[in-house]
Amino acid sequence: MELSVKCGLFGCLLVVLVPALCYSQDTFVASRATYYGSPDCYGTPSGACGFGEFGRTVNNGNVAAVSYLFRNGSGCGACYQVRCTNPTYCSENGAYVVVTDHGEGDYTDFIMSPRAYANLAHPNTALELFSNGVVDVEFRRVSCRYPNYNTVKFKVHEHSRYPDYLAIVLIYVSGKNDISAVEVWQEDCKEWKGMRRAHGAVWDMANPPKGDLKLRFQVSGSVGYGRWVVASNGLPSYWRAGVAYDTDIHLF
């Protein structure tokens, strides 16, 4: 079960929500977790993954910054089940979080939004958990499953400048998969041209090809390792900054 939290001046109130992520049977890994300050308990729009406002509210604000799991940005958008290990305060299912940022602190792998951190607790024990600051946890990677989004989806980054500079940010990558490379088909040369990982989940290219753009993604994870998948519906000729596009790529 997934939980939510509402924070006010005197603490946080837990609210039960419907499940949003399904999980696999992989082995749990021992670690530690803490939380960061947030006035509304959601994430931050300035996370290292480059998600912007999307990174605040994805997965109902149950998000986290990670340390080595960030993996130079390829860990952006990955989903984890995190549960603390003190049976007095901690729920059995814990929290299901999406990685939106990079961060380190006090030997922790997860720095969670207040909303996600509260979901580690039993009902009515969240305040005790917050008073600990840092807790022992165990975690495992789980499949990302978003209602109505079962394909790879990306957005043209707001910093893009048509037609001279294109940047895209991968906002939905289903399953337990990482995108390790993105390429654009250059029709005049009859070859694929690689995009640069600018930071986090943001890929960019100066002077992109003209016309409709065909994209392909190198995927590693539940669909295999190093597999290239081509989106038949890429970008239109007159792409615009800030617009999101669905592909026809299913990664289950």
Side-chain angles (χ1 to χ4, degrees):
M1 179 180 295
E2 183 177 321
L3 302 175
S4 182
V5 60
K6 295 183 179 179
C7 294
L9 181 61
F10 298 105
C12 296
L13 172 66
L14 291 176
V15 180
V16 177
L17 299 176
V18 296
L21 297 172
C22 299
Y23 56 87
S24 66
Q25 299 300 315
D26 293 346
T27 303
F28 281 95
V29 177
S31 184
R32 283 154 61 84
T34 185
Y35 64 96
Y36 57 82
S38 171
D40 57 5
C41 299
Y42 281 95
T44 170
S46 58
C49 289
F51 291 142
E53 285 296 320
F54 171 81
R56 294 187 67 252
T57 58
V58 61
N59 194 35
N60 199 36
N62 289 279
V63 298
V66 294
S67 54
Y68 83 93
L69 296 171
F70 186 74
R71 290 178 286 115
N72 197 34
S74 64
C76 289
C79 299
Y80 291 91
Q81 180 188 9
V82 185
R83 60 189 190 188
C84 56
T85 56
N86 185 329
T88 303
Y89 306 119
C90 304
S91 69
E92 180 180 355
N93 290 328
Y96 297 86
V97 298
V98 177
V99 173
T100 59
D101 202 354
H102 176 263
E104 300 180 15
D106 198 15
Y107 303 101
T108 61
D109 282 318
F110 291 88
I111 305 176
M112 307 170 74
S113 68
R115 180 175 295 253
Y117 193 77
N119 286 345
L120 297 174
H122 290 304
N124 304 317
T125 64
L127 292 181
E128 287 86 347
L129 204 65
F130 275 99
S131 68
N132 288 329
V134 179
V135 293
D136 292 325
V137 299
E138 55 185 13
F139 71 90
R140 62 181 174 182
R141 184 150 182 198
V142 298
S143 290
C144 293
R145 297 179 184 271
Y146 301 101
N148 304 318
Y149 292 106
N150 294 319
T151 59
V152 174
K153 184 172 183 176
F154 64 89
K155 183 179 73 170
V156 178
H157 199 279
E158 286 80 358
H159 292 166
S160 298
R161 299 183 303 276
Y162 180 86
D164 301 317
Y165 173 72
L166 171 65
I168 65 171
V169 55
L170 298 166
I171 53 178
Y172 288 119
V173 179
S174 56
K176 290 193 293 181
N177 296 291
D178 300 326
I179 303 296
S180 54
V182 182
E183 294 184 342
V184 177
W185 177 251
Q186 190 157 354
E187 181 63 28
D188 55 352
C189 299
K190 303 297 182 184
E191 65 179 10
W192 290 99
K193 184 177 181 181
M195 300 187 77
R196 176 183 71 107
R197 186 191 290 276
H199 60 91
V202 180
W203 299 80
D204 70 355
M205 171 183 286
N207 302 311
K210 308 301 186 214
D212 294 345
L213 298 183
K214 181 186 294 186
L215 301 176
R216 73 173 184 175
F217 306 87
Q218 189 175 45
V219 185
S220 294
S222 55
V223 298
Y225 291 88
R227 173 186 170 190
W228 285 99
V229 289
V230 179
S232 60
N233 54 339
L235 278 171
S237 300
Y238 298 101
W239 46 265
R240 290 289 181 267
V243 178
Y245 295 91
D246 275 312
T247 70
D248 57 354
I249 298 174
H250 292 264
L251 297 181
F252 288 103

